[in-house]
Amino acid sequence: MVEFWDQDAEGTDNNDVNLRVLEIFAWAYMCHLGPIILISVPTWIFGRRRAHWIWQDFILVIIPFVVWAVLVVIYGLNKGLMNIILEPTILGCLIAVGSIIRVIISDKKHEKTVATIVLILLCVMSGLLWLCVPGLPE
């Protein structure tokens, strides 16, 4: 399987390849945001009386995706375009579950600890997601 950022045509400008990679990751991030918008945003709105939201809760949308994207760019391991769409969507679902867990478990005394633990667990989960999902066909 050819990795998605390889040059596929002779004479293709390197800047064109870089723009295509950036476009692919932008689409992957949009797939990542879908479950977050549908599930996490209502959880954050309706759970604000139970849990006080802090910065760790809001960077959940960015940091686990960045961990996953760095692993894909550095190690690739024959991941195809289907992986670039499916894995961020699964990661978005995991983040949505993490925000629900944050609302259920959190109390005023330990909210920073719970938010930090959820952030760390989701970063680990994004690495495991990258590692455990095999290269899928195009």
Side-chain angles (χ1 to χ4, degrees):
M1 182 183 299
V2 177
E3 292 182 353
F4 67 92
W5 53 77
D6 285 345
Q7 276 188 323
D8 54 352
E10 292 181 19
T12 303
D13 189 15
N14 206 13
N15 289 333
D16 291 340
V17 173
N18 291 339
L19 287 175
R20 278 192 285 157
V21 170
L22 187 60
E23 182 181 352
I24 289 169
F25 276 105
W27 278 106
Y29 193 71
M30 293 302 148
C31 291
H32 167 74
L33 285 178
I36 294 171
I37 291 170
L38 292 175
I39 300 169
S40 292
V41 171
T43 302
W44 289 335
I45 291 170
F46 295 120
R48 68 178 179 255
R49 292 178 193 245
R50 178 157 173 84
H52 180 256
W53 302 109
I54 54 178
W55 66 271
Q56 285 99 329
D57 297 310
F58 297 109
I59 63 171
L60 281 178
V61 177
I62 301 169
I63 300 299
F65 181 82
V66 169
V67 169
W68 173 84
V70 166
L71 289 171
V72 167
V73 168
I74 291 176
Y75 298 109
L77 289 180
N78 295 327
K79 300 276 184 161
L81 286 174
M82 190 64 179
N83 289 87
I84 304 300
I85 301 302
L86 181 65
E87 291 177 21
T89 305
I90 294 171
L91 184 59
C93 293
L94 291 173
I95 290 172
V97 170
S99 67
I100 292 170
I101 290 171
R102 165 82 164 87
V103 169
I104 292 171
I105 293 177
S106 188
D107 62 352
K108 297 294 181 189
K109 294 180 201 170
H110 305 293
E111 62 190 12
K112 287 184 182 179
T113 305
V114 172
T116 303
I117 289 171
V118 168
L119 177 63
I120 291 169
L121 285 175
L122 284 170
C123 288
V124 169
M125 293 289 285
S126 68
L128 289 174
L129 180 69
W130 168 83
L131 183 65
C132 293
V133 176
L136 300 173
E138 300 292 320

